Amino acid sequence: MVETRGYKCEEHEVITEDGYILNMQRIPFGLAGEAPRKRPPVLLQHGLLMDAITWLLSPPDQSLALILADSGFDVWLVSSRGTKYSLSHQTLSPDNAAYWDFTWDELAAYDLPASIQFVNDFTGQKLHYVGHSQGTLIALASFSKGQLVDKLRSAALLSPIGFLGEMTSPLARIGVESFISQKCMILNDNILLPRDIIKFALYWLGINEFNPRGDAVIQLLMNICKNPGVDCTHLLTSFTGANCCMNSSIIDVFLRHEPQPTSTKNMIHLSQMVKGGTIQMYDYGNEDENNKHYGQPTPPVYNMKNIPKDFPLFLSHGGADALSDVKDVQHLVDNLKDHDKDKIVVQYIENYAHADYVMGVNARETVYEPLMAFFRLY
């Protein structure tokens, strides 16, 4: 996805404190070649059920990773634990239930710090950060504990997720009810029909691993999308909201690579956030278990008001986003009301939904150029 477009790509491995081995790619410079000056590093962190290819799905002049490389940045891409390129562990196999015993709490506590520390050590520089969706959640969780900001120049949060209580996505809402009740929905591969789209989007391939990428599911979707007159951008609408600015041809590219697995426990944790309207650690469901894990009967809360007030933040959200809902983002912004006014930018794009931020044909002009201008201030 990088070298075939004429860019240099390096492979790196990052080992987290709890033993997961993350795959990381570096694009050290753009098509113009290496420059004599040091390039500021930037780490791109994908969202839920995605991997680092998120940033490479569009043509080169529309893909954020390549735009950044061509604009003078040293670009680093990382894939979270459990995804196709980060399935390794020092002692555990993905076939082992213990491998999948994580939620975004662990991504915030282990994956993100290890990734940022690696880039910081390798380049000898502080870095910029870009997160999308869950990639914003884990950053906010870390920042609220005062972590990582000393290694970062700034952070750009696209479709920021701090709170989920107002989420309007119909498909995600159905999923929330399923995960909260912890009931498995398993369909026979032989009877998947177009009318089952909502059901098989929630299809569980295992108790511990949540993998929506079953071969039968992906093949069916690709077959449907090849039919004349079928615009498969609408398949995303019931999950992400009505994306305004995606080319329908990108769905075929998307389905070749995404979606990616995560843990069932992570899906339950996100569902707890929707039901509770809070941002807190995983709730084990009873006081004894919570006491065992946290030393208190209820899960600790991530307090957004504790994010250092002088840390530069660029937030961009869309009016049509059914996952990062406008009301939830406003709740987050209200928590940041004491942030230094010259260190926070909140961009609102009325017709943007969740996937427009990583696959929109006009995202370069609408989001990425303002994002890079913000980075250049720091």
Side-chain angles (χ1 to χ4, degrees):
M1 296 293 281
V2 176
E3 290 180 341
T4 55
R5 292 163 166 182
Y7 294 78
K8 182 177 179 181
C9 185
E10 299 174 2
E11 292 277 350
H12 297 271
E13 281 189 347
V14 178
I15 302 176
T16 68
E17 189 179 326
D18 57 347
Y20 289 81
I21 302 172
L22 310 180
N23 188 252
M24 184 181 278
Q25 286 75 36
R26 180 193 186 201
I27 310 171
F29 45 80
L31 291 179
E34 195 164 2
R37 62 181 179 81
K38 271 191 170 184
R39 292 168 169 259
V42 55
L43 176 68
L44 305 186
Q45 176 65 61
H46 62 83
L48 178 69
L49 304 180
M50 302 289 281
D51 62 9
I53 285 178
T54 293
W55 310 106
L56 299 162
L57 289 169
S58 297
D61 62 342
Q62 297 172 18
S63 293
L64 180 57
L66 303 180
I67 291 170
L68 285 167
D70 283 331
S71 300
F73 293 90
D74 179 0
V75 180
W76 295 78
L77 311 173
V78 64
S79 295
S80 297
R81 63 179 68 187
T83 59
K84 178 179 179 181
Y85 300 105
S86 295
L87 274 176
S88 298
H89 189 280
Q90 288 181 310
T91 59
L92 298 173
S93 161
D95 295 329
N96 188 321
Y99 177 94
W100 299 100
D101 186 19
F102 66 83
T103 80
W104 60 263
D105 284 333
E106 282 70 37
L107 302 188
Y110 300 114
D111 288 29
L112 188 59
S115 301
I116 288 174
Q117 186 67 58
F118 185 92
V119 176
N120 183 241
D121 290 344
F122 191 97
T123 64
Q125 298 185 69
K126 290 186 176 183
L127 52 148
H128 297 290
Y129 177 83
V130 181
H132 177 243
S133 190
Q134 183 179 257
T136 71
L137 173 61
I138 62 175
L140 288 166
S142 293
F143 300 163
S144 72
K145 293 188 171 183
Q147 297 170 340
L148 306 181
V149 292
D150 61 325
K151 297 178 177 63
L152 294 173
R153 301 172 188 232
S154 71
L157 309 179
L158 310 181
S159 293
I161 300 289
F163 300 92
L164 285 171
E166 301 293 336
M167 184 188 70
T168 58
S169 167
L171 188 54
R173 282 280 176 184
I174 293 170
V176 166
E177 296 304 325
S178 298
F179 286 113
I180 289 296
S181 63
Q182 300 187 34
K183 292 177 182 176
C184 282
M185 296 177 63
I186 301 175
L187 300 179
N188 186 314
D189 286 348
N190 298 320
I191 60 168
L192 286 174
L193 299 170
R195 67 172 178 269
D196 291 314
I197 284 173
I198 289 181
K199 289 184 181 177
F200 70 62
L202 298 171
Y203 163 5
W204 296 27
L205 291 183
I207 301 300
N208 306 294
E209 175 189 6
F210 175 71
N211 186 351
R213 198 172 171 77
D215 290 343
V217 176
I218 296 301
Q219 191 56 55
L220 176 61
L221 283 174
M222 294 184 80
N223 289 341
I224 292 172
C225 294
K226 286 176 184 174
N227 286 308
V230 175
D231 182 354
C232 276
T233 56
H234 296 311
L235 287 174
L236 285 175
T237 297
S238 62
F239 187 60
T240 65
N243 299 290
C244 66
C245 306
M246 284 170 47
N247 190 318
S248 60
S249 63
I250 201 172
I251 298 299
D252 187 54
V253 181
F254 173 86
L255 289 174
R256 275 188 241 129
H257 301 281
E258 318 291 348
Q260 288 292 317
T262 186
S263 69
T264 298
K265 185 178 179 182
N266 189 37
M267 300 299 285
I268 294 170
H269 189 185
L270 291 163
S271 298
Q272 291 172 351
M273 290 178 63
V274 177
K275 296 290 282 187
T278 57
I279 175 170
Q280 62 184 36
M281 299 185 79
Y282 182 80
D283 189 344
Y284 284 88
N286 65 70
E287 292 187 359
D288 288 344
E289 280 299 305
N290 285 331
N291 270 317
K292 189 166 97 176
H293 286 86
Y294 307 124
Q296 59 185 62
T298 58
V301 172
Y302 295 97
N303 189 347
M304 297 296 101
K305 294 178 182 178
N306 290 339
I307 296 174
K309 294 175 175 50
D310 60 349
F311 179 65
L313 289 173
F314 176 95
L315 283 72
S316 184
H317 67 115
D321 197 328
L323 294 171
S324 180
D325 184 82
V326 172
K327 292 178 183 177
D328 282 326
V329 176
Q330 188 56 53
H331 188 185
L332 172 62
V333 172
D334 288 345
N335 275 262
L336 299 173
K337 62 182 174 56
D338 294 328
H339 211 81
D340 292 354
K341 302 307 179 193
D342 61 341
K343 294 293 176 69
I344 185 169
V345 170
V346 180
Q347 180 191 46
Y348 173 71
I349 307 169
E350 185 173 3
N351 62 342
Y352 255 43
H354 211 69
D356 287 314
Y357 279 94
V358 291
M359 293 186 279
V361 295
N362 63 346
R364 178 174 189 148
E365 298 79 19
T366 307
V367 183
Y368 304 159
E369 294 290 352
L371 179 156
M372 290 188 293
F374 181 81
F375 281 174
R376 291 188 180 105
L377 297 174
Y378 304 102

